[in-house]
Amino acid sequence: PEPRGPNSNALRKLVVGSVVSLALVGGGFALGRATAPEDQPSAAGAPTASNAPDDAANLLQVALELHRAGDLNAATQAYQAVLDVKPDDQFALYNLGLISQTNGDNAGAIEWYTRALAVDPAMTAALYNRGLAYRDADRLDESIVDLRAALAADPANAAVMYNLGNVLIANGSVDEGTDLIDQAVTLDPSLRGD
């Protein structure tokens, strides 16, 4: 098989001319719009200073398409290729956390989300998901810190409120947890689970 990475001609053929920009929504990812890259890859296929950001955006487009298609192994490789070009790409870091969490690798998810938050401390979805990964790793105190921060950033988010309530109950704060769950169910009755 052909090599897959930021310098792979096969991968470049998939992404040249793509238009991509990212916007965070809910607990996942979404595509927005941007301009198409004006620079073409150099003859050797290596990113140049003028096209490296476009290469990262194009590689990210491929990674997102693979991720949405459910090919998590290929998506992981593509996100890694994004990081080869742009090591601080918060969306590649976040989505690697999402894949780790999906695969039950809480330690890996926590690491990826932490790296995404180092780039963008206001990335609420990363805080929320890291809080859930901490919960699943039985690190309840850290889970509570992250879930409280996510709720502070989005005070009307019923899902965050509900999960924080459950973690608080599991950690011994039954009254506060119950109050949060009641508030969450008032905001979103589907959380009741009837």
Side-chain angles (χ1 to χ4, degrees):
E2 288 188 86
R4 299 189 70 101
N7 297 327
S8 164
N9 288 332
L11 192 53
R12 284 194 186 283
K13 287 178 185 174
L14 289 172
V15 299
V16 170
S18 295
V19 243
V20 66
S21 175
L22 291 179
L24 188 64
V25 293
F29 46 82
L31 297 176
R33 71 176 175 83
T35 58
E38 294 181 20
D39 295 326
Q40 293 298 315
S42 66
T48 63
S50 64
N51 71 6
D54 290 334
D55 286 347
N58 290 333
L59 289 167
L60 190 57
Q61 171 70 32
V62 170
L64 290 169
E65 289 171 8
L66 292 165
H67 197 157
R68 285 189 182 126
D71 191 345
L72 299 184
N73 290 332
T76 297
Q77 291 176 8
Y79 289 130
Q80 291 286 357
V82 172
L83 296 177
D84 288 344
V85 175
K86 186 180 176 194
D88 64 347
D89 188 289
Q90 71 193 53
F91 299 106
L93 294 166
Y94 171 82
N95 286 320
L96 283 165
L98 206 57
I99 290 171
S100 294
Q101 197 166 23
T102 298
N103 290 331
D105 177 9
N106 293 313
I110 290 165
E111 182 180 330
W112 290 117
Y113 292 138
T114 299
R115 287 181 61 189
L117 287 163
V119 175
D120 181 4
M123 189 179 225
T124 306
L127 271 173
Y128 174 65
N129 285 347
R130 188 175 70 177
L132 296 179
Y134 278 135
R135 176 202 65 196
D136 294 343
D138 202 28
R139 294 167 62 178
L140 299 185
D141 290 336
E142 292 156 301
S143 175
I144 290 168
V145 169
D146 277 359
L147 293 175
R148 283 191 193 279
L151 187 59
D154 188 2
N157 189 316
V160 175
M161 197 178 295
Y162 185 84
N163 282 298
L164 176 56
N166 280 312
V167 173
L168 285 167
I169 290 170
N171 205 38
S173 299
V174 176
D175 291 339
E176 183 184 5
T178 302
D179 288 344
L180 280 171
I181 290 171
D182 290 344
Q183 290 175 43
V185 169
T186 299
L187 288 172
D188 182 357
S190 71
L191 292 172
R192 185 171 323 193
D194 296 336

